[in-house]
Amino acid sequence: MAIGFVNTAVHLSIYAALNPWMPYLMAHVLGCAVSIVGSFLLNSCITCRTRPTRRGFLRYPVSSVFNPVASGALP
């Protein structure tokens, strides 16, 4: 639960910082990308107590890509 809060806070912080200088969708995508990387690292290290791997890093965003696409398509 706490990791989800951190993930959301990171996404919204990056979005809020970038939105005045770039289009909504670009700020949203960058915020999502950074929060997905952070979420992967936190989930690997804290939740699963494993070391992050390249293979896991490449597979993790596949499970997370639906949310930014859906929320970006419905502004």
Side-chain angles (χ1 to χ4, degrees):
M1 176 101 149
I3 291 175
F5 176 76
V6 171
N7 189 29
T8 301
V10 168
H11 174 247
L12 291 177
S13 298
I14 291 173
Y15 168 75
L18 295 178
N19 194 34
W21 294 286
M22 63 179 54
Y24 155 79
L25 194 55
M26 188 181 292
H28 175 66
V29 169
L30 289 173
C32 281
V34 172
S35 67
I36 288 170
V37 171
S39 179
F40 168 73
L41 294 173
L42 288 172
N43 278 314
S44 293
C45 296
I46 295 173
T47 304
C48 299
R49 297 181 185 189
T50 61
R51 293 185 62 191
T53 63
R54 284 185 213 157
R55 182 174 183 242
F57 179 74
L58 294 174
R59 292 173 53 184
Y60 187 79
V62 172
S63 67
S64 303
V65 78
F66 177 75
N67 186 26
V69 170
S71 61
L74 305 169

